[in-house]
Structures are given as structure tokens and as C-alpha cells.
Amino acid sequence: MMEGPILIAHGAQARSTKQQEYGMNVLCGVGILSTPYAAKEGGWFGLLILVAFGVLSFYTGILLRRCLDSEPGLETYPDIGQAAFGTAGRIAVSVILYAELYACCIEYIILESDNLSSLFPNAHLSFGGFYLNSHHLFALMTTLAVLPTCWLRDLTVLSYISAGGVIASILVVLCLFWVGLVDQVNIHSKGTPLNLATLPVAIGLYGYCYSGHAVFPNIYTSMAQPNQFPKVLITCFLICTAMYAGVAYMGYTMFGELTLSQFTLNMPQDLVATKIAVWTTMIFFLIRSTYALTISPVAMSLEELIPSNHLKSHIYAICIRTALVISTLLVGLAIPFFGLVMSLIGSLLTMLVTLILPCLCFLSILRGKATRLQVALCVIIIVAGVVSSAIGSYSAILKIVESLSS
């Protein structure tokens, strides 16, 4: 008599675990590569910002759930925007989300270019009077590699492959700790307690680490037991924050003021652990089709502009997707600063998606039911998000301009 309920419970638990893995895969992305650089830019006390963002981001994730539960039919982040501010809210939220996804694709191009050129610094190509150094060459090769995957409209298979991202992240982290603790490379730096001059850059980098709110509504609405969402969410945030803080501590301790925007670029190239870390970063990026999964929502939104009499023709979709991919290559080549671009994304876009918009939507949708404490917390988070976004964006843009001028 108990077999049926037991099987259902086991099925629900397995599905909850799957959602937890998905949440981990969303949160624990390429941002982990830059946490040591963020620690260098902000100093040791800057790690408190990482923890603070983790706490605030968890709370705003819960606010998104409250918004979804406010009325039937709400399933996505744009749905929440429309419920809060009408059609204008839906459009604004969608544009911000698509801008964040597009910017992340630019980061992927820079990431691959940096890591491949670190392995093959002397690679180059000359043809027809044009000269491509290693960075330009590998950025072009990466673009050509991901382009065919972006032409696919059904990415179901790719989304299953993407679950390996958690394993890849853990493996790269283990390689860093192996280099530091076993190979004992450069563990000597005491670091700086606080770097006020570059702290705004660290704010953007730490903010980028928690850029998973765009898919939290999808995770919640697909759960067999929605009441388990807070448990799943807090587990993901605790594990990812611990990983971020651990990597930041180890990387900054190892490389000190020489820490680069990706810790894989600091690791000695002759070590086996370094090669495993670099190749894991690159191969999983291509196998998981991270780029295609990220750019697809942007492409589909643009494809809605195709005239109805041409919808059956796939050529228009291919042209749109090809143009998008090429544009990310051009922007990546024009602004090849992984850490600074990540800081700008984290400050300008992630702060909106993660901190500001959830609070604004919650206050608008549940303004008559929210307690005074909830209103006060939302106002504090909005102010913190606006201030962090302003100083972080200004600092990142200023440093990008300085880097381009030098």
C-alpha cells in the first residue's frame, strides 16, 4: 500500500535534486575564475561584499517566488515585470535580461581567447596583408566553432549536456588548490586588507557571481514540490559562496598583486594541473554549448521581428544568429578586458536583475500585503543596488577607457 507514495516521494526528491544541480550550474559559472582578481582589487575586507551579495541575492530570489505566487499564470521574469509595471515593465525586464545574456557571450569569447593564447602564445596567422596575433586568432577560431551550434533552434540536447558545468567548475577549483597546496606555487602573499581605489571594480565582479535570477522563476515553476524552493536556493547559495570565497582566498594568497583577471592565466603553464584546468575551462565551454544556450533567447527575441510570411524560411534566423555571433566577436576584440567587462556587467546589469528589480516588482505587486520590515529591507537593498551599480559601472568604464587609451 505504501509503494506508490514512496515512489512519488522518491521521484519528487530526485527532481528537487535535479533543480538544485541546475541552480548550481547557473550560479557557479565563469565568475569563479575572477574571484581572486576581485580579492586583489578589493582587498581581504572586500570578501565581506561577496558574502553580503550572497545574502541579499538569496533574499531577492525568495521575493521573486512571492511575486510568482501572487497571481496565477506568472512563470517567467518578464511575466513578473508585466504584473508589476504593465507592458512597459515586461519590455524593460526583457531588454535588461537580453543585454546581460549578450554581454555574457562577449565574455565567453574573451575567456577562450585569453586561455588559448596563454597555452599557445606564439600562434599567429598572416594572410592578404592582415596579421592576427594569438588573441585575435583564437577569438576568431572560437567564434567559428560556436557558430554552427547557434544555428540550432532546438537546444534540448545541449541543455542536458550543460549539466556537466558543475563538475567542470569543481574540477577547475580542485586544480587551483592542487597547484597551491601540493605543488606549493607562490604561497607567500599576505595581500592587502582594503583597496579603496579599486574596490568598485571588485563590487562589480562579486555582483556578477550571483547573476542567476533570470532563471530562478523557471526553476521554481518546474519544481514538483515548490515549497522546497527556499531549501534548494539556500543550498545553492551556500555551496557557491563557499566556493567563491575559497577560490578568492587561495588565488589571492598564491599570486598576490600579480593576480590576473582569470586565475588560470596565473597558474604555471608547465604543471599538469594547470593544463587540466585550462583545457577543462575551454572544452566544457564548447561541449556544453554554453554560448549557444546563452545567445539563443536573444536570437529568438529578434526573430519575432521577422515578417510572418517569412517565418518558415530558416535563412532569416540564420542571418540574425550569425550577425549576433559576429557582433560579439567584434566587441570582444575591441574591448578584450575580461575582468573589467565582467565588472561592468556585474555593476550595470546584474545589480538590476539580482537586487533592484526583484525589490521593485515585489513592492509593486504586493504593496498592500508587504510588512513594514519587508518594505524597509527592499528599500535598503534598492539603495545598496543603485549605489553599487553607479560606482561600479563608473569605475569599470573609466578603467576600460584608460586601458584602451594606453
Side-chain angles (χ1 to χ4, degrees):
M1 293 293 293
M2 293 297 294
E3 182 178 353
I6 289 175
L7 289 176
I8 292 174
H10 284 176
Q13 183 178 3
R15 191 167 181 181
S16 178
T17 302
K18 186 67 177 177
Q19 299 301 333
Q20 189 168 298
E21 292 176 358
Y22 186 31
M24 283 281 297
N25 194 39
V26 169
L27 283 176
C28 197
V30 296
I32 199 168
L33 298 176
S34 293
T35 52
Y37 179 67
K40 184 200 81 169
E41 294 294 284
W44 291 121
F45 286 114
L47 287 173
L48 296 176
I49 297 176
L50 172 69
V51 176
F53 279 160
V55 173
L56 297 181
S57 299
F58 166 74
Y59 181 71
T60 56
I62 299 299
L63 292 184
L64 288 179
R65 176 204 178 185
R66 292 288 305 277
C67 292
L68 291 170
D69 290 340
S70 64
E71 59 181 84
L74 301 184
E75 296 183 354
T76 65
Y77 208 143
D79 289 344
I80 294 174
Q82 182 165 5
F85 305 108
T87 304
R90 184 181 191 87
I91 294 174
V93 169
S94 298
V95 169
I96 294 170
L97 293 181
Y98 294 148
E100 185 181 36
L101 292 174
Y102 179 81
C104 288
C105 289
I106 297 172
E107 279 285 81
Y108 296 145
I109 297 294
I110 301 174
L111 169 70
E112 292 293 290
S113 174
D114 286 348
N115 281 280
L116 281 170
S117 60
S118 71
L119 288 177
F120 309 102
N122 297 320
H124 64 276
L125 180 66
S126 299
F127 65 98
F130 290 95
Y131 175 80
L132 298 177
N133 59 26
S134 59
H135 278 86
H136 293 167
L137 175 61
F138 289 123
L140 178 61
M141 291 176 61
T142 299
T143 303
L144 294 177
V146 301
L147 183 58
T149 64
C150 297
W151 292 337
L152 299 174
R153 283 186 169 178
D154 185 4
L155 299 177
T156 305
V157 176
L158 302 183
S159 64
Y160 285 113
I161 298 174
S162 71
V166 177
I167 299 175
S169 298
I170 293 174
L171 181 57
V172 172
V173 170
L174 290 177
C175 289
L176 174 67
F177 276 76
W178 181 277
V179 169
L181 300 177
V182 179
D183 295 327
Q184 295 185 339
V185 173
N186 295 332
I187 300 186
H188 64 274
S189 174
K190 294 182 179 179
T192 304
L194 184 64
N195 288 326
L196 285 175
T198 53
L199 182 61
V201 175
I203 290 175
L205 293 170
Y206 288 139
Y208 184 91
C209 293
Y210 298 105
S211 57
H213 283 55
V215 298
F216 285 173
N218 304 84
I219 294 177
Y220 175 64
T221 55
S222 64
M223 292 184 70
Q225 295 179 304
N227 62 317
Q228 294 293 312
F229 180 73
K231 180 181 177 181
V232 170
L233 203 61
I234 196 169
T235 301
C236 293
F237 272 95
L238 286 175
I239 295 174
C240 289
T241 301
M243 288 180 62
Y244 285 139
V247 170
Y249 173 81
M250 179 58 70
Y252 188 32
T253 300
M254 290 170 61
F255 310 122
E257 298 308 311
L258 298 178
T259 303
L260 298 176
S261 61
Q262 304 160 56
F263 67 73
T264 51
L265 302 179
N266 279 109
M267 297 166 68
Q269 298 298 320
D270 59 328
L271 298 178
V272 174
T274 301
K275 297 185 185 301
I276 293 175
V278 174
W279 283 109
T280 298
T281 301
M282 294 183 299
I283 292 175
F284 265 85
F285 165 78
L286 294 175
I287 292 179
R288 291 168 60 209
S289 299
T290 305
Y291 186 104
L293 290 168
T294 305
I295 202 69
S296 181
V298 184
M300 288 190 291
S301 68
L302 293 176
E303 288 168 14
E304 293 179 0
L305 303 176
I306 299 176
S308 57
N309 58 324
H310 295 297
L311 285 177
K312 293 183 179 180
S313 177
H314 197 42
I315 187 65
Y316 292 96
I318 290 178
C319 290
I320 289 175
R321 291 165 184 255
T322 301
L324 275 174
V325 174
I326 292 176
S327 68
T328 60
L329 168 64
L330 295 178
V331 176
L333 291 177
I335 314 175
F337 313 116
F338 184 84
L340 295 179
V341 172
M342 179 178 288
S343 179
L344 180 60
I345 298 171
S347 299
L348 186 61
L349 298 172
T350 306
M351 293 295 175
L352 278 169
V353 175
T354 302
L355 299 183
I356 301 173
L357 287 177
C359 292
L360 289 175
C361 291
F362 175 80
L363 292 177
S364 176
I365 295 174
L366 298 167
R367 53 183 173 271
K369 300 178 182 179
T371 65
R372 290 184 178 180
L373 178 60
Q374 290 173 331
V375 173
L377 286 175
C378 285
V379 171
I380 292 173
I381 293 173
I382 290 171
V383 172
V386 170
V387 172
S388 299
S389 180
I391 63 176
S393 300
Y394 175 78
S395 179
I397 293 173
L398 190 63
K399 287 187 173 294
I400 289 174
V401 172
E402 290 176 354
S403 299
L404 290 173
S405 301
S406 61

